[in-house]
């Protein structure tokens, strides 16, 4: 039994890796997801950068470009989690995913990390857009910590998607939930508006969400600040999301098995 448990444990990273690869490949071929990851952030970034050029010179253009890039990652996580599970329910593959021997949390983790990785398209697209169209000086003060911050941002957002995706399993209207939470998170986490301009009551909520620390890490690495504290908070948030996600997926899975209504929620 102990050997079997060790063998299963060694196989778990492979389950997540294959789920990540499959989801990344599938989402990268989706026109809707590419529009969400690339086109939509460019629109909002263009508005913000045009406002900066028109007279609000307090913040550099790169500040807005980085925020728009995180917006794209967040959007792909939100819509990817809800859309992927809804599609699998529609295709009749959700029940087999829940019933396979591998823990469902690993399957769901591969899906959420894959969709978050697709969001890196938006980061590259917004930086290129800012440089070509708005003449932004895109040069990172610390490219190594910037890369580390981008990786930690993707991981933390993917694990936040794990928490959301576990609740999406039970509801057919997951896409409606995605639409409801996308824009408030953009605003409260300071992606395009500095947190200092937001009311004080919103700050605790912002500090609990990974995009706040992800964009702080990237901006600090780009402008010569201290990104390590924000990267550390991303890591801590990832561990918390992972623990909550594992617990929540277990609760949802037990409920689905007991009521036998997974496909009828």
């Amino acid at each position: 039994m102990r050997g079997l448990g060790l063998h299963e444990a060694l196989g778990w990273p492979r389950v997540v890796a294959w789920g990540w690869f499959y989801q990344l490949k599938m989402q990268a071929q989706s026109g809707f997801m590419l529009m969400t990851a690339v086109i939509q952030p460019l629109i909002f970034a263009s508005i913000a950068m045009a406002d900066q050029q028109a007279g609000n010179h307090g913040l550099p253009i790169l500040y807005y470009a980085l925020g728009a890039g995180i917006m794209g990652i967040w959007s792909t996580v939100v819509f990817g989690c809800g859309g992927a599970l809804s599609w699998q329910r529609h295709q009749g593959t959700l029940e087999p995913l829940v019933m396979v021997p591998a823990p469902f949390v690993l399957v769901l983790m591969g899906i959420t990390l894959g969709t978050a990785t697709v969001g890196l398209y938006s980061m590259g697209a917004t930086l290129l857009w800012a440089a070509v169209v708005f003449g932004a000086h895109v040069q990172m003060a610390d490219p190594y910590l910037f890369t580390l911050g981008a990786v930690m941002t993707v991981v933390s957002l993917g694990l936040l998607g794990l928490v959301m995706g576990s609740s999406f399993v039970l509801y057919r209207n997951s896409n409606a939930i995605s639409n409801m939470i996308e824009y408030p998170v953009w605003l409260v986490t300071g992606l395009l508006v500095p947190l200092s301009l937001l009311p004080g009551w919103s700050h605790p909520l912002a500090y609990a969400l990974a995009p706040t620390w992800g964009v702080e890490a990237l901006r600090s690495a780009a402008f010569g600040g201290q990104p390590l504290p924000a990267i550390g908070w991303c890591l801590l948030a990832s561990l918390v999301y992972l623990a909550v996600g594992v617990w929540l997926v277990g609760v949802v899975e037990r409920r689905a098995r007991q009521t036998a209504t997974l496909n009828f929620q």
Side-chain angles (χ1 to χ4, degrees):
M1 294 296 292
R2 184 173 302 176
L4 180 59
L6 178 61
H7 176 74
E8 291 177 350
L10 293 176
W12 289 357
R14 187 167 63 248
V15 173
V16 176
W18 277 108
W20 169 84
F21 176 75
Y22 176 77
Q23 190 69 18
L24 179 63
K25 181 179 179 180
M26 184 174 67
Q27 296 288 3
Q29 297 176 358
S30 169
F32 173 77
M33 291 304 299
L34 290 180
M35 182 192 73
T36 301
V38 178
I39 305 301
Q40 185 174 262
L42 291 184
I43 295 174
F44 287 96
S46 296
I47 295 173
M49 289 186 285
D51 176 69
Q52 193 272 355
Q53 287 191 334
N56 180 19
H57 300 291
L59 296 171
I61 292 178
L62 185 59
Y63 178 95
Y64 298 104
L66 292 173
I70 303 293
M71 286 168 56
I73 300 176
W74 169 247
S75 296
T76 55
V77 168
V78 171
F79 287 108
C81 291
L85 293 175
S86 296
W87 177 253
Q88 287 162 6
R89 174 180 278 124
H90 177 72
Q91 293 295 310
T93 57
L94 182 58
E95 297 92 331
L97 288 178
V98 174
M99 296 303 295
V100 295
F104 181 61
V105 66
L106 300 180
V107 178
L108 192 56
M109 191 183 303
I111 292 174
T112 58
L113 291 176
T115 54
T117 306
V118 172
L120 289 176
Y121 279 118
S122 66
M123 183 63 66
T126 52
L127 292 179
L128 180 62
W129 186 259
V132 174
V133 178
F134 292 92
H137 183 62
V138 180
Q139 184 175 356
M140 307 305 165
D142 194 328
Y144 300 106
L145 287 180
F146 183 87
T147 303
L148 178 60
V151 172
M152 283 307 308
T153 300
V154 168
V155 172
S156 60
L157 284 174
L159 292 176
L160 179 57
L162 175 67
V163 176
M164 296 186 303
S166 59
S167 62
F168 288 174
V169 172
L170 287 179
Y171 300 101
R172 283 184 172 273
N173 296 324
S174 57
N175 289 330
I177 300 175
S178 303
N179 290 328
M180 181 181 68
I181 66 176
E182 182 188 13
Y183 294 99
V185 171
W186 283 359
L187 180 62
V188 78
T189 55
L191 297 184
L192 291 181
V193 179
L195 288 178
S196 59
L197 300 180
L198 300 178
W201 60 262
S202 66
H203 292 177
L205 178 59
Y207 297 148
L209 296 173
T212 303
W213 302 111
V215 74
E216 176 64 24
L218 295 183
R219 285 168 176 166
S220 297
F223 300 132
Q226 296 294 329
L228 286 178
I231 292 174
W233 282 111
C234 270
L235 177 60
L236 179 60
S238 300
L239 296 176
V240 172
Y241 296 152
L242 178 60
V244 173
V246 169
W247 172 78
L248 193 56
V249 168
V251 172
V252 170
E253 188 175 358
R254 285 193 298 272
R255 177 181 171 185
R257 291 176 186 270
Q258 290 170 357
T259 60
T261 56
L262 181 64
N263 199 35
F264 300 99
Q265 295 289 337

